């Protein structure tokens, strides 16, 4: 699943990834400074995602986390 997460400032992506890797070792995190959002691909659920980001030192709420529509065409596993 892909999520966009509103977050203030310049987040430490390594710290966030480190927390997420405990849940999903294949998670991907990047930061779009123009929109002040993290883009995160993970199998983690929104609650787990918020907890991982909080453990990295950043406060986010459920309203800050937006699930994106799937872009999966099914070609990889079908």
């Amino acid at each position: 699943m892909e999520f966009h997460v509103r977050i203030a400032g310049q987040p430490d992506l390594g710290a966030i990834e480190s927390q997420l890797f405990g849940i999903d070792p294949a998670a991907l995190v990047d930061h779009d400074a123009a929109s002040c959002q993290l883009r995160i691909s993970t199998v983690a659920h929104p609650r787990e995602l918020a907890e991982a980001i909080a453990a990295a030192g950043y406060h986010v709420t459920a309203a800050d986390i937006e699930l994106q529509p799937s872009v999966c065409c099914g070609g990889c596993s079908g």
Side-chain angles (χ1 to χ4, degrees):
M1 296 178 284
E2 181 177 340
F3 297 93
H4 288 177
V5 182
R6 286 184 296 283
I7 193 163
Q10 178 62 40
D12 180 347
L13 299 182
I16 294 169
E17 284 180 336
S18 178
Q19 294 299 320
L20 278 174
F21 287 169
I23 302 165
D24 178 6
L28 298 173
V29 180
D30 75 350
H31 182 245
D32 181 356
S35 66
C36 297
Q37 290 186 345
L38 296 174
R39 291 183 298 249
I40 301 176
S41 294
T42 182
V43 296
H45 294 282
R47 179 188 51 77
E48 295 171 310
L49 187 55
E51 290 172 357
I53 294 170
Y58 301 93
H59 177 73
V60 296
T61 66
D64 296 320
I65 300 173
E66 182 181 333
L67 177 62
Q68 299 300 296
S70 175
V71 294
C72 178
C73 70
C76 297
S77 60

